[in-house]
Amino acid sequence: MRTRTLALAAASGAALLAVSALPASAQPDPGSAAAPAAATVKEGSVSAADLLAKVSSCSQISNGKYRTDEETSATVPVCGKNGAVFWKADMDIDCDGQVTAACNSDTDPWFQDDTAFHTSGDQPLSAETLPYVVVPSSSSIWNYGSAGIKGGGVVAVIYNNKVEYAVVGDTGPDQIIGEASYATAAALGIDPDPETGGAESGVTYILFKNSSVSPIESHSAAVTAGDALAKQFLQNN
């Protein structure tokens, strides 16, 4: 994760880019009448509305609050629930990891060819193809590891009434929150351009404690685990 100022692209261009950039696991069936609409993408059986109803209020577990960008004030707490932690923030785009057509030093001024957590083959994750979320590096504000969050943990990312399951894949600055991979943004219909894309607000991140996807690079495994964990989350909260 890099600190940057978020600049949104034009909405019309964002919609087209989001559909074309969807990872294979989230691509609509080209033969379907609904294929051109990114909003039709749905993962699992738990609705965004049901999950959001459980995180309508915050029991703060972080010692302080986070900024969403370098130039903003600290307004975002990490909140606790039974079996999960969550926050509501923006989404900056992380393109770090494996060099791909969409994620490289030419497309991303802040590109780094590594991620905090690696594939089962000890390679950096692919931001272009794998939905993953960035957590703040441990600090006096909050220590993700002590909260039961680890690399490969399952995350439900909610935006515009859509749910996308992802894994904890990278760490970022210790005072900034709200970032996910190119693939996460694309699947949610958010412009995934690492320089001009992202969402200014309205993104909810629910991280399930003590969860793990193996192998971390299997998005289908994240969806299967995420759906089961989301159902359990609804029952326990």
Side-chain angles (χ1 to χ4, degrees):
M1 175 177 180
R2 289 80 54 213
T3 303
R4 85 288 304 276
T5 300
L6 184 63
L8 292 179
S12 59
L16 291 173
L17 181 56
V19 174
S20 63
L22 283 173
S25 60
Q27 281 280 13
D29 179 357
S32 167
T40 62
V41 175
K42 183 178 185 298
E43 292 193 326
S45 59
V46 178
S47 72
D50 285 345
L51 287 172
L52 290 175
K54 299 297 185 179
V55 295
S56 58
S57 61
C58 174
S59 176
Q60 183 172 331
I61 62 170
S62 56
N63 295 321
K65 296 181 179 181
Y66 289 94
R67 303 193 304 268
T68 55
D69 292 292
E70 188 174 36
E71 72 278 8
T72 61
S73 57
T75 60
V76 180
V78 177
C79 311
K81 298 291 285 189
N82 290 329
V85 303
F86 73 92
W87 56 81
K88 299 180 180 183
D90 65 343
M91 183 185 287
D92 291 336
I93 308 302
D94 190 342
C95 232
D96 290 346
Q98 296 179 24
V99 176
T100 64
C103 292
N104 56 69
S105 57
D106 291 328
T107 61
D108 180 3
W110 306 275
F111 180 76
Q112 299 174 31
D113 62 357
D114 201 4
T115 49
F117 306 108
H118 284 182
T119 69
S120 56
D122 198 27
Q123 296 298 311
L125 303 179
S126 170
E128 181 179 353
T129 61
L130 180 68
Y132 70 71
V133 166
V134 179
V135 296
S137 295
S138 296
S139 70
S140 59
I141 300 176
W142 182 60
N143 185 317
Y144 67 86
S146 297
I149 305 304
K150 56 187 176 181
V154 182
V155 187
V157 188
I158 306 166
Y159 179 77
N160 196 23
N161 296 316
K162 296 188 287 291
V163 180
E164 174 71 7
Y165 290 106
V167 293
V168 175
D170 204 359
T171 58
D174 60 13
Q175 297 185 14
I176 296 177
I177 206 165
E179 187 170 12
S181 69
Y182 183 106
T184 309
L188 289 169
I190 296 171
D191 180 358
D193 187 288
E195 187 170 8
T196 61
E200 290 184 322
S201 62
V203 185
T204 299
Y205 304 81
I206 302 175
L207 292 76
F208 299 106
K209 295 180 180 179
N210 303 312
S211 62
S212 181
V213 174
S214 182
I216 188 175
E217 65 269 22
S218 173
H219 180 57
S220 61
V223 174
T224 299
D227 193 49
L229 287 164
K231 291 176 181 177
Q232 185 177 3
F233 179 74
L234 295 184
Q235 294 175 351
N236 294 340
N237 288 278

